[in-house]
Amino acid sequence: MRDLRAARERTRRVVDDLAGSRELGPQLAIVNPPRWEVGHVGWFQEFWCLRQGSEDRPSILPNADALYNSASVHHDTRWTLPLPSFAETLAYRDSVLQKVLDQLAGGKADPYFAELALRHEEMHAEAFYYTRQTHGYPAPSGLDVSFKPLPPAGDFEAPGGLFRLGAVQGDGFAFDNEKWSHPVVLEPFRIARRCVTNAEYREFVKAGGKAPAHWKGDKLRRFDRWIPIPPDEPVMHVTWHDAQAYCAWAGRRLPTEAEWECAALAGVEGMLGTVWQWTSSTFLPYPGFVRDPYKEYSEPWFGTHKVLRGGSFATPPGEARVRFRNFYTPDRADIFCGFRTCAA
């Protein structure tokens, strides 16, 4: 219950101040209107925790399925739906949480679905950061976007061999695409001890490479502020294609997700919680994949998305896990994504 409350506090900090002109915002393919997304977070929690994933069980909000079910409500329509007001949407979201907490206290809620709703809300909390960055809204109050000093340059040498990729049964919550640990054989490889920095990426841009999103001259935009490009921070807002182009220019390559996970488990610094890191791997099921009840989470995206690992500065601690597989189409740069490289 404490984790659900903490997740809700994170969500409140990043979205509840967006009432008014910002609660819908410009219509873009890469973001949701905040008023809709807040309602969706509440609906998802209600659908799985209170309604056990059944449309036959009524919502406490009339017509909620037709408004907030992301599997059936087309993205482009979310700006024109007859949504409740922003205040009513917040009230619905928080009413659902209280009912879930009451059921958990009474031993009536399914712990798996409560955990699923928690993870879902944490992902959307980070997505609200992306929305604020994309639209140039101010950063949420109290957000610290300063980065820890990066490790020295150089490579970590991994000996290769048999490696078990994927989640281990009994080791906490795992999404269906992380299941289960299975053997892969890795050739010896060398992976950078740090992500590519702004200074390193600027050399690529000077040589004709594409600049990251939100760069202009010698400045970058961080939420609503233009700041000098910090040379020693990891580059952000690059697409998978951009990362591949940099690697070709630098004579390097992206790591596979198995190499990335192997290096993270071997103790390479800075793998978690700085920027999401593109890998070369296409998002595909692990052997023996069986979809979980939330069938829309993974299966529809196999083969069309690329895997990112590691988490960003905006990722809640519960999601910044070594074995967590994030996935986006290779043209996306709005997320807080960078990359590290391997020796070719």
Side-chain angles (χ1 to χ4, degrees), residues 320-337:
R321 297 179 288 113
V322 168
R323 292 187 172 91
F324 178 73
R325 306 172 78 198
N326 203 353
F327 48 95
Y328 278 91
T329 53
D331 59 329
R332 292 287 291 272
D334 54 301
I335 60 177
F336 302 132
C337 53

PDB file of all heavy atoms in Angstrom, residues 320-337:
ATOM      1  N   ALA A 320      13.567   1.153 -12.614  1.00  0.00           N
ATOM      2  CA  ALA A 320      14.973   1.165 -13.033  1.00  0.00           C
ATOM      3  C   ALA A 320      15.638  -0.134 -12.566  1.00  0.00           C
ATOM      4  O   ALA A 320      16.459  -0.150 -11.655  1.00  0.00           O
ATOM      5  CB  ALA A 320      15.692   2.384 -12.458  1.00  0.00           C
ATOM      6  N   ARG A 321      15.256  -1.218 -13.203  1.00  0.00           N
ATOM      7  CA  ARG A 321      15.746  -2.550 -12.869  1.00  0.00           C
ATOM      8  C   ARG A 321      16.630  -3.062 -13.994  1.00  0.00           C
ATOM      9  O   ARG A 321      16.397  -2.762 -15.163  1.00  0.00           O
ATOM     10  CB  ARG A 321      14.579  -3.519 -12.659  1.00  0.00           C
ATOM     11  CG  ARG A 321      13.669  -3.176 -11.499  1.00  0.00           C
ATOM     12  CD  ARG A 321      12.521  -4.173 -11.369  1.00  0.00           C
ATOM     13  NE  ARG A 321      11.522  -4.030 -12.422  1.00  0.00           N
ATOM     14  CZ  ARG A 321      11.270  -4.919 -13.369  1.00  0.00           C
ATOM     15  NH1 ARG A 321      11.988  -6.035 -13.445  1.00  0.00           N
ATOM     16  NH2 ARG A 321      10.326  -4.711 -14.269  1.00  0.00           N
ATOM     17  N   VAL A 322      17.616  -3.869 -13.637  1.00  0.00           N
ATOM     18  CA  VAL A 322      18.565  -4.370 -14.635  1.00  0.00           C
ATOM     19  C   VAL A 322      17.857  -5.149 -15.734  1.00  0.00           C
ATOM     20  O   VAL A 322      18.199  -5.021 -16.915  1.00  0.00           O
ATOM     21  CB  VAL A 322      19.642  -5.241 -13.955  1.00  0.00           C
ATOM     22  CG1 VAL A 322      20.459  -6.004 -14.999  1.00  0.00           C
ATOM     23  CG2 VAL A 322      20.566  -4.384 -13.102  1.00  0.00           C
ATOM     24  N   ARG A 323      16.845  -5.931 -15.386  1.00  0.00           N
ATOM     25  CA  ARG A 323      16.223  -6.803 -16.385  1.00  0.00           C
ATOM     26  C   ARG A 323      14.982  -6.194 -17.031  1.00  0.00           C
ATOM     27  O   ARG A 323      14.360  -6.835 -17.887  1.00  0.00           O
ATOM     28  CB  ARG A 323      15.873  -8.154 -15.747  1.00  0.00           C
ATOM     29  CG  ARG A 323      17.117  -8.971 -15.359  1.00  0.00           C
ATOM     30  CD  ARG A 323      16.741 -10.369 -14.895  1.00  0.00           C
ATOM     31  NE  ARG A 323      17.918 -11.189 -14.711  1.00  0.00           N
ATOM     32  CZ  ARG A 323      18.594 -11.304 -13.565  1.00  0.00           C
ATOM     33  NH1 ARG A 323      18.203 -10.618 -12.511  1.00  0.00           N
ATOM     34  NH2 ARG A 323      19.665 -12.088 -13.474  1.00  0.00           N
ATOM     35  N   PHE A 324      14.638  -4.972 -16.666  1.00  0.00           N
ATOM     36  CA  PHE A 324      13.462  -4.340 -17.262  1.00  0.00           C
ATOM     37  C   PHE A 324      13.749  -3.974 -18.714  1.00  0.00           C
ATOM     38  O   PHE A 324      14.768  -3.362 -19.031  1.00  0.00           O
ATOM     39  CB  PHE A 324      13.073  -3.084 -16.487  1.00  0.00           C
ATOM     40  CG  PHE A 324      11.892  -2.361 -17.080  1.00  0.00           C
ATOM     41  CD1 PHE A 324      10.618  -2.888 -16.958  1.00  0.00           C
ATOM     42  CD2 PHE A 324      12.050  -1.178 -17.786  1.00  0.00           C
ATOM     43  CE1 PHE A 324       9.516  -2.239 -17.513  1.00  0.00           C
ATOM     44  CE2 PHE A 324      10.969  -0.529 -18.339  1.00  0.00           C
ATOM     45  CZ  PHE A 324       9.695  -1.058 -18.206  1.00  0.00           C
ATOM     46  N   ARG A 325      12.819  -4.337 -19.607  1.00  0.00           N
ATOM     47  CA  ARG A 325      12.973  -4.058 -21.040  1.00  0.00           C
ATOM     48  C   ARG A 325      12.010  -2.935 -21.435  1.00  0.00           C
ATOM     49  O   ARG A 325      10.803  -3.135 -21.473  1.00  0.00           O
ATOM     50  CB  ARG A 325      12.658  -5.315 -21.863  1.00  0.00           C
ATOM     51  CG  ARG A 325      13.442  -6.541 -21.472  1.00  0.00           C
ATOM     52  CD  ARG A 325      12.918  -7.772 -22.222  1.00  0.00           C
ATOM     53  NE  ARG A 325      13.390  -7.828 -23.597  1.00  0.00           N
ATOM     54  CZ  ARG A 325      12.841  -8.573 -24.551  1.00  0.00           C
ATOM     55  NH1 ARG A 325      11.748  -9.303 -24.281  1.00  0.00           N
ATOM     56  NH2 ARG A 325      13.329  -8.577 -25.774  1.00  0.00           N
ATOM     57  N   ASN A 326      12.559  -1.771 -21.725  1.00  0.00           N
ATOM     58  CA  ASN A 326      11.749  -0.711 -22.304  1.00  0.00           C
ATOM     59  C   ASN A 326      11.804  -0.873 -23.823  1.00  0.00           C
ATOM     60  O   ASN A 326      12.750  -1.464 -24.364  1.00  0.00           O
ATOM     61  CB  ASN A 326      12.286   0.651 -21.893  1.00  0.00           C
ATOM     62  CG  ASN A 326      11.239   1.748 -21.978  1.00  0.00           C
ATOM     63  OD1 ASN A 326      10.136   1.532 -22.470  1.00  0.00           O
ATOM     64  ND2 ASN A 326      11.593   2.940 -21.514  1.00  0.00           N
ATOM     65  N   PHE A 327      10.821  -0.313 -24.519  1.00  0.00           N
ATOM     66  CA  PHE A 327      10.792  -0.510 -25.967  1.00  0.00           C
ATOM     67  C   PHE A 327      10.051   0.640 -26.631  1.00  0.00           C
ATOM     68  O   PHE A 327       8.993   1.061 -26.187  1.00  0.00           O
ATOM     69  CB  PHE A 327      10.138  -1.857 -26.325  1.00  0.00           C
ATOM     70  CG  PHE A 327       8.822  -2.124 -25.626  1.00  0.00           C
ATOM     71  CD1 PHE A 327       7.609  -1.835 -26.235  1.00  0.00           C
ATOM     72  CD2 PHE A 327       8.808  -2.687 -24.361  1.00  0.00           C
ATOM     73  CE1 PHE A 327       6.405  -2.089 -25.592  1.00  0.00           C
ATOM     74  CE2 PHE A 327       7.601  -2.945 -23.704  1.00  0.00           C
ATOM     75  CZ  PHE A 327       6.394  -2.642 -24.329  1.00  0.00           C
ATOM     76  N   TYR A 328      10.666   1.164 -27.684  1.00  0.00           N
ATOM     77  CA  TYR A 328      10.087   2.252 -28.471  1.00  0.00           C
ATOM     78  C   TYR A 328      10.442   2.033 -29.933  1.00  0.00           C
ATOM     79  O   TYR A 328      11.405   1.322 -30.256  1.00  0.00           O
ATOM     80  CB  TYR A 328      10.633   3.607 -28.014  1.00  0.00           C
ATOM     81  CG  TYR A 328       9.944   4.169 -26.790  1.00  0.00           C
ATOM     82  CD1 TYR A 328      10.417   3.901 -25.511  1.00  0.00           C
ATOM     83  CD2 TYR A 328       8.801   4.961 -26.907  1.00  0.00           C
ATOM     84  CE1 TYR A 328       9.789   4.407 -24.385  1.00  0.00           C
ATOM     85  CE2 TYR A 328       8.162   5.479 -25.792  1.00  0.00           C
ATOM     86  CZ  TYR A 328       8.666   5.203 -24.535  1.00  0.00           C
ATOM     87  OH  TYR A 328       8.022   5.699 -23.429  1.00  0.00           O
ATOM     88  N   THR A 329       9.686   2.679 -30.805  1.00  0.00           N
ATOM     89  CA  THR A 329      10.045   2.629 -32.222  1.00  0.00           C
ATOM     90  C   THR A 329      11.353   3.387 -32.432  1.00  0.00           C
ATOM     91  O   THR A 329      11.660   4.333 -31.693  1.00  0.00           O
ATOM     92  CB  THR A 329       8.925   3.233 -33.095  1.00  0.00           C
ATOM     93  OG1 THR A 329       8.606   4.544 -32.619  1.00  0.00           O
ATOM     94  CG2 THR A 329       7.691   2.355 -33.082  1.00  0.00           C
ATOM     95  N   PRO A 330      12.143   2.993 -33.433  1.00  0.00           N
ATOM     96  CA  PRO A 330      13.501   3.550 -33.556  1.00  0.00           C
ATOM     97  C   PRO A 330      13.560   5.017 -33.968  1.00  0.00           C
ATOM     98  O   PRO A 330      14.645   5.607 -33.950  1.00  0.00           O
ATOM     99  CB  PRO A 330      14.142   2.657 -34.627  1.00  0.00           C
ATOM    100  CG  PRO A 330      13.007   2.069 -35.385  1.00  0.00           C
ATOM    101  CD  PRO A 330      11.898   1.908 -34.399  1.00  0.00           C
ATOM    102  N   ASP A 331      12.400   5.621 -34.279  1.00  0.00           N
ATOM    103  CA  ASP A 331      12.393   7.032 -34.657  1.00  0.00           C
ATOM    104  C   ASP A 331      12.105   7.950 -33.478  1.00  0.00           C
ATOM    105  O   ASP A 331      12.120   9.170 -33.637  1.00  0.00           O
ATOM    106  CB  ASP A 331      11.325   7.268 -35.737  1.00  0.00           C
ATOM    107  CG  ASP A 331       9.930   6.881 -35.268  1.00  0.00           C
ATOM    108  OD1 ASP A 331       9.810   5.953 -34.442  1.00  0.00           O
ATOM    109  OD2 ASP A 331       8.960   7.500 -35.726  1.00  0.00           O
ATOM    110  N   ARG A 332      11.898   7.402 -32.284  1.00  0.00           N
ATOM    111  CA  ARG A 332      11.513   8.224 -31.139  1.00  0.00           C
ATOM    112  C   ARG A 332      12.733   8.847 -30.469  1.00  0.00           C
ATOM    113  O   ARG A 332      13.717   8.169 -30.189  1.00  0.00           O
ATOM    114  CB  ARG A 332      10.741   7.383 -30.119  1.00  0.00           C
ATOM    115  CG  ARG A 332       9.371   6.917 -30.583  1.00  0.00           C
ATOM    116  CD  ARG A 332       8.359   8.030 -30.623  1.00  0.00           C
ATOM    117  NE  ARG A 332       8.014   8.506 -29.295  1.00  0.00           N
ATOM    118  CZ  ARG A 332       7.044   7.997 -28.541  1.00  0.00           C
ATOM    119  NH1 ARG A 332       6.331   6.964 -28.978  1.00  0.00           N
ATOM    120  NH2 ARG A 332       6.780   8.512 -27.345  1.00  0.00           N
ATOM    121  N   ALA A 333      12.630  10.149 -30.192  1.00  0.00           N
ATOM    122  CA  ALA A 333      13.695  10.841 -29.476  1.00  0.00           C
ATOM    123  C   ALA A 333      13.151  11.697 -28.341  1.00  0.00           C
ATOM    124  O   ALA A 333      13.915  12.405 -27.692  1.00  0.00           O
ATOM    125  CB  ALA A 333      14.504  11.728 -30.435  1.00  0.00           C
ATOM    126  N   ASP A 334      11.841  11.648 -28.114  1.00  0.00           N
ATOM    127  CA  ASP A 334      11.244  12.487 -27.079  1.00  0.00           C
ATOM    128  C   ASP A 334      11.503  11.953 -25.680  1.00  0.00           C
ATOM    129  O   ASP A 334      11.450  12.713 -24.710  1.00  0.00           O
ATOM    130  CB  ASP A 334       9.735  12.624 -27.298  1.00  0.00           C
ATOM    131  CG  ASP A 334       9.048  11.265 -27.395  1.00  0.00           C
ATOM    132  OD1 ASP A 334       9.427  10.483 -28.301  1.00  0.00           O
ATOM    133  OD2 ASP A 334       8.138  10.983 -26.583  1.00  0.00           O
ATOM    134  N   ILE A 335      11.792  10.677 -25.554  1.00  0.00           N
ATOM    135  CA  ILE A 335      12.089  10.111 -24.244  1.00  0.00           C
ATOM    136  C   ILE A 335      13.514  10.512 -23.848  1.00  0.00           C
ATOM    137  O   ILE A 335      14.298  10.988 -24.672  1.00  0.00           O
ATOM    138  CB  ILE A 335      11.925   8.583 -24.246  1.00  0.00           C
ATOM    139  CG1 ILE A 335      12.869   7.934 -25.275  1.00  0.00           C
ATOM    140  CG2 ILE A 335      10.500   8.213 -24.554  1.00  0.00           C
ATOM    141  CD1 ILE A 335      12.809   6.427 -25.269  1.00  0.00           C
ATOM    142  N   PHE A 336      13.855  10.295 -22.596  1.00  0.00           N
ATOM    143  CA  PHE A 336      15.199  10.661 -22.108  1.00  0.00           C
ATOM    144  C   PHE A 336      16.164   9.531 -22.456  1.00  0.00           C
ATOM    145  O   PHE A 336      16.585   8.758 -21.583  1.00  0.00           O
ATOM    146  CB  PHE A 336      15.158  10.951 -20.620  1.00  0.00           C
ATOM    147  CG  PHE A 336      14.208  12.046 -20.229  1.00  0.00           C
ATOM    148  CD1 PHE A 336      13.312  11.884 -19.189  1.00  0.00           C
ATOM    149  CD2 PHE A 336      14.207  13.258 -20.918  1.00  0.00           C
ATOM    150  CE1 PHE A 336      12.443  12.893 -18.821  1.00  0.00           C
ATOM    151  CE2 PHE A 336      13.333  14.274 -20.564  1.00  0.00           C
ATOM    152  CZ  PHE A 336      12.455  14.101 -19.520  1.00  0.00           C
ATOM    153  N   CYS A 337      16.512   9.442 -23.731  1.00  0.00           N
ATOM    154  CA  CYS A 337      17.281   8.307 -24.214  1.00  0.00           C
ATOM    155  C   CYS A 337      18.626   8.747 -24.768  1.00  0.00           C
ATOM    156  O   CYS A 337      18.761   9.766 -25.430  1.00  0.00           O
ATOM    157  CB  CYS A 337      16.500   7.555 -25.294  1.00  0.00           C
ATOM    158  SG  CYS A 337      15.909   8.604 -26.647  1.00  0.00           S
TER     159      CYS A 337
END
